[in-house]
Amino acid sequence: MKDLLRKMQILEREMKKAEQQSEYWMQSEHFDMEKADKFEAEADSIYADLYQLFGQAAEKIVSITSGGIDEITARAMIRERRSDVESIFAREARA
């Protein structure tokens, strides 16, 4: 499961970089709509992959906790309390 979290972190960084590039090319002094659209499409594609990984991680949390944590809460934890998610996955790995 650590691999799943690592993949998510990599995709989050890549998505942020693509979004920043899109915003850069939208600024008036650098304006290039074609480049901005290219980076926005790249960010959208990365987001789709990231969304799938979020779903997998959330499902795993629900499974590990035998439903004690529901999917909505699991997704929120992944976004806001990543260290708690890492602890849950570490406990599961030791079991």
Side-chain angles (χ1 to χ4, degrees):
M1 291 315 305
K2 284 186 178 184
D3 287 340
L4 180 62
L5 292 176
R6 193 172 311 118
K7 287 177 187 177
M8 289 172 63
Q9 290 171 338
I10 291 167
L11 287 178
E12 287 168 338
R13 284 193 299 269
E14 289 177 3
M15 187 173 72
K16 183 176 181 177
K17 184 177 177 183
E19 287 172 340
Q20 289 171 338
Q21 285 292 316
S22 178
E23 290 171 11
Y24 174 84
W25 291 110
M26 289 295 290
Q27 296 172 4
S28 60
E29 63 269 15
H30 311 287
F31 189 75
D32 186 327
M33 195 61 172
E34 188 174 316
K35 287 182 181 179
D37 287 346
K38 175 186 160 245
F39 284 109
E40 187 65 30
E42 182 180 330
D44 290 346
S45 175
I46 294 168
Y47 179 79
D49 294 340
L50 185 58
Y51 188 81
Q52 275 189 323
L53 293 178
F54 262 86
Q56 291 174 19
E59 288 173 14
K60 188 67 176 170
I61 292 169
V62 172
S63 175
I64 291 169
T65 63
S66 300
I69 297 174
D70 64 27
E71 185 175 349
I72 293 170
T73 304
R75 285 178 181 268
M77 287 176 66
I78 294 165
R79 280 191 310 277
E80 299 165 13
R81 301 181 65 177
R82 191 70 57 97
S83 62
D84 290 345
V85 172
E86 291 170 357
S87 295
I88 290 170
F89 286 164
R91 277 184 274 162
E92 192 265 340
R94 289 190 295 256

